[in-house]
Amino acid sequence: MMKPDSHALLRRRFIAFALLQAFLLCLAIFLSINYFGSDIWSRRDSVGLILASAKDAPGWPRDMRLGLQKACQNRGYTLYIEDHVNSDDNSLAQVTEKLVKKGVKKIFLANPGYQRNLENIARQYPQVEFYANSVGETISAKIFNYSVRYYEVRYLAGILAGLHTRTGIVGYLAPFPALETRRDLNAFALGVQKVRPDARILVHWTGQWISAEKERQALYLLKHENTDVITYFAASQQLSREAADLGLDYIDFHAAGLTMPPHCIAALETDWTKVYDELLRTHTAKSTAHVYWQGMLDNVITLRLSPELTPREEALVIRARQELLQGYPVFSGNIVDRDGHSRCQEGAVIANSSLREKMDWLVKGVEIIEAK
């Protein structure tokens, strides 16, 4: 029979052994998280968002961040956000490695400019799903592409601009003549011409996704040309404030808030929560789709109209919206480009694949203006 002190000694040894096991387990978890991120995929549901500017900057950065944040909350994902990430140096690779060590399974990139360096990075991390915010460039088997069919609401915005202009001159600002910006610009031009065939459509390329100075200069240039209604394609919402300060009526590319500001006649509003929820919901391992391109029929975008519009303006835009929802294709019928080439004939429709990959032209009537 054991003495009482023998029981106490065994108990102390058992407790010491249990504590040692707990310590070693904690140490193993710490090391795996910090040094062996690739070994923890099956135990973590984490998502990363990479932004080129501040996560709270008005426009795409804030709207996309809030949308993904809510979608992650709805589906139980942990969200890690990295902002101020330059697309022109090694920053994207460094940030990706940082997110991978945290166990991130899906990485969403907000800036289309990231696409240039993404292919090589994606090869290094086959366990990660990369989602590039673009649908018309360098589609890879290792990268999923997502975007919104903005051209649908750009067409409606063009109709409104054509109805609203008093001078007959409307302006459009965009960073580059990239495929997605040409597609949106062409849809806008077709909308303008539908209601005002004689209108001038002036376009200026700013050269950057976000540049307050260049956007300001472009607005002054358009105002000097007697433009009285403008819209734009830019990541930031700063341009809309500058337009209002110059007395220009504008169609905002981002959410306008609860109350439409002065000079804002409409706003293109995107439900990023729905966009990202669909991407989080999709089991990519079981899907062959690598392009997710949602639009009005998916209820992720709308053109919100100002209550200050005339009854005629409101009625014609609403009618055009109903036509789109019933299947009317924006790029259909007789379409001629700036060089006089026919791009679509009466009774025909431009194919979806061509809209996504081959729109290297601009509609007849579009004028490119440069700083003098």
Side-chain angles (χ1 to χ4, degrees), residues 105-349:
K105 294 180 179 180
K106 298 172 182 276
I107 295 180
F108 294 93
L109 301 106
N111 190 335
Y114 291 135
Q115 186 102 334
R116 295 191 300 272
N117 305 319
L118 190 55
E119 179 70 13
N120 291 333
I121 296 174
R123 286 197 187 98
Q124 299 176 39
Y125 305 104
Q127 306 96 325
V128 181
E129 296 173 3
F130 290 88
Y131 293 81
N133 183 17
S134 175
V135 294
E137 302 171 2
T138 320
I139 296 174
S140 163
K142 295 182 176 298
I143 300 169
F144 298 91
N145 293 72
Y146 74 100
S147 190
V148 176
R149 293 178 184 267
Y150 283 119
Y151 69 87
E152 296 173 339
V153 283
R154 292 288 192 188
Y155 172 73
L156 299 179
I159 290 175
L160 177 57
L163 292 169
H164 194 77
T165 178
R166 296 175 297 279
T167 65
I169 305 174
V170 299
Y172 194 104
L173 282 76
F176 317 99
L179 191 150
E180 57 226 286
T181 52
R182 288 193 298 267
R183 181 175 56 234
D184 284 12
L185 169 56
N186 282 339
F188 177 78
L190 291 173
V192 173
Q193 293 169 352
K194 183 179 180 68
V195 296
R196 185 104 181 232
D198 62 335
R200 295 181 66 198
I201 304 162
L202 307 185
V203 180
H204 181 76
W205 309 115
T206 63
Q208 292 183 344
W209 284 104
I210 299 178
S211 174
E213 182 59 30
K214 290 187 176 183
E215 290 166 0
R216 189 178 302 111
Q217 292 174 357
L219 285 173
Y220 277 110
L221 181 62
L222 289 172
K223 186 174 177 64
H224 180 73
E225 294 288 338
N226 209 26
T227 301
D228 63 346
V229 179
I230 69 104
T231 191
Y232 65 97
F233 192 139
S236 169
Q237 203 169 18
Q238 179 64 30
L239 200 149
S240 61
R241 299 192 186 100
E242 297 283 353
D245 290 343
L246 290 175
L248 294 171
D249 290 339
Y250 67 92
I251 299 169
D252 209 333
F253 181 49
H254 304 288
L258 295 177
T259 305
M260 290 278 190
H263 293 288
C264 180
I265 61 174
L268 283 69
E269 299 192 341
T270 307
D271 190 335
W272 286 107
T273 299
K274 286 186 178 179
V275 172
Y276 286 122
D277 187 74
E278 173 65 18
L279 297 177
L280 293 176
R281 182 190 66 81
T282 302
H283 295 288
T284 51
K286 301 178 182 178
S287 173
T288 57
H290 274 254
V291 177
Y292 298 88
W293 203 14
Q294 303 175 62
M296 289 178 58
L297 290 176
D298 303 292
N299 202 27
V300 299
I301 48 171
T302 188
L303 185 69
R304 180 180 164 205
L305 304 178
S306 166
E308 303 301 320
L309 297 181
T310 67
R312 179 172 180 266
E313 290 171 343
E314 182 178 3
L316 290 180
V317 172
I318 290 175
R319 185 173 73 181
R321 177 190 293 160
Q322 286 303 116
E323 290 173 351
L324 291 181
L325 292 173
Q326 291 168 6
Y328 174 78
V330 172
F331 292 99
S332 62
N334 185 34
I335 301 176
V336 178
D337 69 18
R338 295 178 71 215
D339 297 322
H341 300 137
S342 175
R343 295 293 179 170
C344 191
Q345 298 179 345
E346 200 64 41
V349 177

Side-chain angles (χ1 to χ4, degrees), residues 20-85:
L20 178 61
Q21 282 187 317
F23 171 77
L24 291 175
L25 179 61
C26 291
L27 180 62
I29 293 173
F30 174 79
L31 291 175
S32 68
I33 290 175
N34 285 274
Y35 300 103
F36 306 105
S38 60
D39 295 334
I40 58 174
W41 301 110
S42 61
R43 300 197 300 273
R44 296 182 67 87
D45 290 318
S46 301
V47 171
L49 174 64
I50 300 178
L51 300 163
S53 56
K55 63 184 179 182
D56 293 320
W60 258 356
R62 181 183 61 193
D63 295 346
M64 296 174 91
R65 189 259 303 173
L66 290 174
L68 182 54
Q69 204 167 43
K70 188 172 181 181
C72 285
Q73 289 172 353
N74 293 342
R75 295 200 170 267
Y77 283 87
T78 299
L79 176 62
Y80 297 101
I81 300 172
E82 296 289 338
D83 56 0
H84 297 291
V85 179

